[in-house]
């Protein structure tokens, strides 16, 4: 509905510009907000107050002209001017009821993407295979997964790309250590962190080992069969660790989605040559660099994008340029979304610019860095173990499940053990994911088990319980929530507020897809759960005074349940029928 109102306002602004009331060239961000007091309308905009000065009018005078210029729309019953010049829009309850009827009759809840469908490549997770996945990989993995799910739900073709770090000089060290332990490799690699530390210790202490590691790097890069065999074995074991984490997290990543750094190795000389052919390369201290005027340091000197080191080696930028070319030219992506730590923002700005200047990326391919902040401990610093080490992601998930199990068993000791374990997994893993997803993507946040496992506030347990509350209504009736359809007739204030919010589901998903911000969906679901609670307490469903009113309220409850369930699934959480 907000999108509809924005479009109506934009059309009115265009009319007033054509009539000379407003000066040409104005491109205001049209803000439309939900009103708290529904007696003053369902939505409000301050557009008249924003544009009064350039129009040379008082805000109320411009508001009157805007109201007169607004096109008629069946979803809006009336528009009023309030205070100094607010435009208050009243939603047509009959049109709202029809929208809800359509949603109830559709397995996709009436949600469709506005605009053309696209091919979207989503770059997510991307762990370094030299080490086991740690908490630093959580945000890229689950934020990327949630946005990918939303894009797919809206109808886009989504291609996941797990750009794992499976190449580089550290692999010589790891392969040398693996070579020394052929019989115990499987057990040794059960703990990748320990394996890495042991290999590094050997590298630092033994010159012979270090020489062997360097030799293996050269042989690996040359494609020597035995060296490749060892490397492939290491990667297979390392990737199995990653897949275990993905399955625990419930993210949609499979081995088929992996296209690591090694996949582009053969293309890197061609990338450098193509940059040279375009006249973009400059040699600086023996290295091959691209300098772009728009990127300069504090002293005003151009910053380099180094694509080949003085010794002939390649860098992350070279591989990233090759992957950009592949995603645009081969995968035919309309959008490429990079879910990578926002501390890499400058790197992506520069490599995006080089890729476009070199013609590696089609003009109609959008490259978007979806940067995110860090997950911190209680001290506000990056999350670490008590001894200052890196926290393994699998250990964090184990603890989440254990804490959730104790919590659930304390509340429902009579439940069978198998069901307790299932609920604990959904609650524990969901709590970790939701605590992250509910924060603005670009914000840092502090990890806190007590807060994220609370049944109060904007948490996974609260939302999972809200869904079970809806499901319990239909269990009492002996009916399935998906069996209910028809046209609701909201009357009471709580019914109308709930109905209006339900109608905004598609609009919220559109914003998540456009901006890569899952917290918008989290905030919507939390708000929806609160509105349902108010509706449930003030509008009896099973004891409604008339059959028609009971049916209408059942329809609202069913659509609420289905919307909560779908929203949770899009965030990668598992809805529960009871808990």
């Amino acid at each position: 509905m907000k999108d509809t109102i924005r479009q109506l306002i934009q059309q009115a602004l265009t009319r007033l510009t054509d009539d000379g009331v407003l000066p040409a060239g104005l491109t205001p961000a049209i803000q439309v907000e939900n009103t708290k007091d529904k007696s003053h309308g369902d939505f409000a905009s301050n557009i008249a107050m924003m544009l009064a000065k350039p129009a040379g009018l008082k805000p109320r005078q411009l508001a009157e002209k805007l109201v007169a210029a607004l096109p008629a729309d069946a979803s809006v019953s009336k528009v009023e001017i309030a205070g100094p010049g607010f435009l208050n829009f009243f939603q047509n309850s009959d049109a709202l009821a029809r929208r809800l009827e359509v949603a109830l009759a559709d397995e996709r809840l009436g949600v469709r993407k506005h605009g053309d469908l696209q091919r979207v490549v989503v770059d997510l997770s991307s762990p370094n295979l030299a080490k086991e996945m740690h908490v630093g990989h959580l945000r890229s993995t689950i934020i990327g997964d949630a946005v990918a799910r939303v894009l797919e739900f809206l109808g886009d073709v989504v291609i996941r790309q797990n750009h794992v770090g499976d190449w580089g000089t550290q692999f010589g060290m790891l392969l040398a250590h693996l070579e020394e332990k052929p019989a115990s490799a499987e057990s040794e690699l059960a703990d990748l962190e320990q394996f890495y530390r042991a290999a590094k210790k050997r590298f630092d202490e033994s010159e012979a080992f270090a020489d062997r590691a360097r030799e293996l790097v050269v042989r690996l890069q040359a494609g020597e069969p035995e060296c490749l065999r060892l490397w492939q074995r290491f990667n297979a074991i390392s990737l199995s660790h990653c897949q275990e984490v993905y399955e625990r997290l419930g993210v949609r990543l499979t081995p088929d989605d992996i296209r690591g750094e090694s996949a582009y190795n053969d293309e890197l000389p061609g990338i450098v040559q193509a940059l040279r052919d375009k006249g973009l390369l400059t040699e600086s201290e023996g290295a091959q660099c691209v300098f772009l005027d728009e990127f300069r340091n504090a002293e005003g000197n151009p910053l380099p994008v180094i694509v080949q080191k003085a010794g002939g080696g390649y860098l992350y930028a070279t591989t990233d340029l090759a992957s950009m070319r592949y995603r645009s030219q081969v995968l035919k992506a309309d959008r490429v979304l990079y879910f990578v730590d926002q501390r890499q923002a400058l790197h992506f700005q520069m490599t995006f610019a080089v890729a476009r200047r070199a013609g590696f990326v089609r003009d109609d391919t959008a490259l978007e860095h979806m940067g995110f902040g860090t997950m911190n401990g209680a001290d506000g610093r990056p999350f670490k173990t008590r001894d200052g080490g890196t926290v393994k992601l699998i250990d964090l998930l184990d603890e989440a499940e254990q804490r959730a199990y104790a919590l659930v068993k304390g509340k429902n000791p009579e439940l069978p053990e198998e069901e307790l374990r299932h609920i604990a997994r959904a609650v524990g893993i969901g709590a970790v994911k939701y605590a992250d997803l509910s924060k603005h993507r670009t914000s840092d946040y502090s990890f806190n088990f007590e807060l994220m496992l609370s049944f109060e506030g904007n948490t996974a347990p609260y939302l999972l319980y809200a869904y079970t509350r809806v499901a319990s209504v239909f269990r009492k009736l002996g009916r399935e929530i998906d069996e209910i359809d028809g046209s609701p007739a909201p009357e009471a204030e709580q019914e109308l507020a709930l109905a209006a919010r339900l109608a905004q589901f598609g609009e919220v998903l559109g914003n998540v897809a456009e901006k890569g911000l899952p917290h918008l969906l989290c905030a919507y679901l939390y708000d929806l759960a609160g509105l349902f609670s108010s509706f449930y307490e003030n509008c009896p469903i099973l004891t409604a005074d008339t059959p028609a009113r009971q049916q209408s309220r059942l329809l609202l409850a069913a659509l609420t349940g289905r919307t909560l369930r779908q929203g949770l699934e899009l965030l990668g959480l598992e809805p529960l029928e009871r808990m």
Side-chain angles (χ1 to χ4, degrees):
M1 187 63 189
K2 287 183 182 179
D3 284 344
T4 298
I5 293 173
R6 289 190 192 97
Q7 291 168 10
L8 294 175
I9 292 173
Q10 185 57 61
Q11 292 177 53
L13 293 176
T14 300
R15 288 182 182 179
L16 294 182
T17 302
D18 292 342
D19 293 343
V21 176
L22 289 173
L26 293 179
T27 56
I30 302 172
Q31 300 294 325
V32 177
E33 305 295 339
N34 294 307
T35 58
K36 293 182 179 179
D37 184 353
K38 297 305 177 183
S39 65
H40 295 296
D42 299 292
F43 305 96
S45 176
N46 66 346
I47 189 67
M49 298 157 72
M50 287 175 58
L51 298 182
K53 187 172 182 179
L57 297 169
K58 292 181 179 179
R60 282 193 70 93
Q61 290 177 313
L62 180 56
E64 290 168 358
K65 292 182 180 294
L66 279 167
V67 170
L70 282 169
D73 190 280
S75 61
V76 177
S77 60
K78 64 177 178 177
V79 184
E80 292 182 348
I81 302 170
F86 286 101
L87 298 184
N88 288 348
F89 293 79
F90 291 77
Q91 190 163 219
N92 185 320
S93 57
D94 291 336
L96 174 60
R98 287 194 294 272
R99 289 185 67 185
L100 300 188
E101 182 179 8
V102 169
L104 281 160
D106 182 14
E107 63 179 11
R108 288 161 49 81
L109 302 174
V111 173
R112 297 294 184 274
K113 181 180 179 180
H114 294 295
D116 296 333
L117 298 182
Q118 296 179 303
R119 288 175 65 84
V120 186
V121 169
V122 178
D123 183 313
L124 71 164
S125 193
S126 306
N128 188 336
L129 297 190
K131 298 182 179 181
E132 199 163 340
M133 287 183 72
H134 55 80
V135 294
H137 296 115
L138 179 66
R139 302 208 75 185
S140 173
T141 304
I142 63 174
I143 298 174
D145 179 62
V147 174
R149 287 170 181 253
V150 171
L151 290 164
E152 285 175 324
F153 186 72
L154 292 174
D156 285 335
V157 175
V158 174
I159 304 169
R160 292 167 174 80
Q161 294 278 275
N162 194 352
H163 189 80
V164 298
D166 61 354
W167 200 251
T169 55
Q170 77 269 32
F171 279 88
M173 177 182 76
L174 295 166
L175 295 179
H177 194 50
L178 181 64
E179 191 179 52
E180 289 186 343
K181 299 176 174 294
S184 60
E186 301 295 333
S187 60
E188 290 278 343
L189 286 170
D191 189 330
L192 283 174
E193 289 295 322
Q194 180 58 38
F195 187 89
Y196 183 88
R197 284 195 293 268
K200 184 69 167 64
K201 187 172 184 292
R202 293 278 291 126
F203 186 88
D204 292 339
E205 294 177 351
S206 169
E207 188 60 35
F209 181 90
D211 289 342
R212 178 59 176 163
R214 296 185 188 100
E215 179 188 346
L216 285 172
V217 170
V218 175
R219 290 169 58 188
L220 176 63
Q221 292 175 343
E224 196 271 323
E226 177 60 19
C227 199
L228 282 173
R229 186 189 69 78
L230 284 173
W231 172 75
Q232 289 165 351
R233 186 181 182 200
F234 176 85
N235 282 351
I237 296 171
S238 186
L239 285 169
S240 71
H241 286 258
C242 295
Q243 196 58 42
E244 180 186 353
V245 172
Y246 296 145
E247 290 171 6
R248 285 284 295 281
L249 281 171
V251 301
R252 294 175 180 169
L253 273 175
T254 72
D256 291 339
D257 300 316
I258 292 167
R259 188 172 176 85
E261 293 173 350
S262 63
Y264 303 102
N265 189 56
D266 293 343
E267 299 178 33
L268 303 186
I271 290 292
V272 174
Q273 186 59 47
L275 293 170
R276 182 175 289 112
D277 293 343
K278 289 279 187 177
L280 293 170
L281 280 189
T282 299
E283 185 171 312
S284 177
E285 299 180 10
Q288 300 299 314
C289 308
V290 179
F291 291 94
L292 300 177
D293 287 340
E294 59 264 41
F295 299 103
R296 295 176 178 271
N297 61 19
E299 290 73 38
N301 300 315
L303 293 169
V305 176
I306 305 173
V307 294
Q308 190 171 28
K309 293 185 284 189
Y314 303 103
L315 294 98
Y316 289 128
T318 330
T319 304
D320 282 341
L321 289 170
S323 71
M324 290 171 198
R325 183 171 69 175
Y326 171 77
R327 293 165 181 182
S328 178
Q329 304 290 348
V330 179
L331 297 181
K332 307 296 183 185
D334 299 304
R335 295 178 77 192
V336 187
L337 310 183
Y338 289 82
F339 288 90
V340 182
D341 190 322
Q342 66 184 1
R343 289 173 291 189
Q344 299 297 316
L346 181 60
H347 165 80
F348 281 108
Q349 290 170 19
M350 294 175 73
T351 51
F352 288 170
V354 172
R356 292 204 180 280
R357 197 74 58 87
F360 294 156
V361 176
R362 303 189 330 268
D363 291 341
D364 59 352
T365 297
L367 302 174
E368 303 172 47
H369 175 215
M370 299 287 177
F372 51 82
T374 58
M375 182 173 81
N376 299 324
D379 59 359
R381 297 177 179 177
F383 199 65
K384 299 285 185 181
T385 59
R386 288 181 180 177
D387 60 5
T390 302
V391 179
K392 293 181 185 178
L393 191 45
I394 202 76
D395 291 343
L396 186 77
L397 301 181
D398 285 343
E399 183 173 355
E401 285 194 38
Q402 291 164 7
R403 286 174 175 260
Y405 176 81
L407 181 67
V408 174
K409 188 171 185 178
K411 289 181 175 291
N412 300 287
E414 77 286 352
L415 288 178
E417 180 67 14
E418 184 178 353
E419 187 172 2
L420 276 173
R421 293 290 177 188
H422 177 243
I423 293 173
R425 179 167 185 165
V427 171
I429 303 298
V432 170
K433 295 175 72 173
Y434 190 85
D436 191 307
L437 295 170
S438 61
K439 308 299 186 299
H440 194 293
R441 170 168 51 75
T442 62
S443 299
D444 299 341
Y445 76 98
S446 295
F447 189 90
N448 186 311
F449 268 126
E450 285 71 26
L451 289 178
M452 66 178 58
L453 285 168
S454 172
F455 276 83
E456 297 179 358
N458 189 12
T459 66
Y462 173 79
L463 284 178
L464 291 169
Y465 179 72
Y467 174 71
T468 66
R469 196 177 187 188
V470 181
S472 69
V473 172
F474 294 90
R475 265 202 311 276
K476 291 174 184 176
L477 285 173
R479 299 173 69 180
E480 295 293 330
I481 201 169
D482 296 291
E483 294 175 352
I484 310 294
D485 58 28
S487 182
E491 300 171 326
E493 177 184 343
Q494 295 82 3
E495 293 174 296
L496 288 166
L498 178 61
R501 200 68 173 121
L502 285 166
Q504 295 171 26
F505 186 47
E507 190 173 304
V508 170
L509 295 185
N511 285 329
V512 173
E514 178 187 352
K515 301 170 184 175
L517 296 174
H519 83 278
L520 298 174
L521 176 55
C522 296
Y524 170 81
L525 296 176
Y526 178 57
D527 192 30
L528 189 66
L531 289 170
F532 178 80
S533 181
S534 178
F535 158 76
Y536 186 83
E537 292 167 6
N538 290 281
C539 305
I541 301 174
L542 301 182
T543 58
D545 52 3
T546 69
R549 191 160 286 149
Q550 182 190 72
Q551 179 65 10
S552 176
R553 290 174 180 173
L554 276 174
L555 291 170
L556 284 175
L559 187 53
T560 301
R562 288 176 58 191
T563 303
L564 284 171
R565 183 178 65 198
Q566 184 64 69
L568 290 168
E569 289 174 351
L570 290 175
L571 292 170
L573 275 66
E574 180 187 355
L576 297 165
E577 294 299 314
R578 66 173 183 169
M579 59 186 289

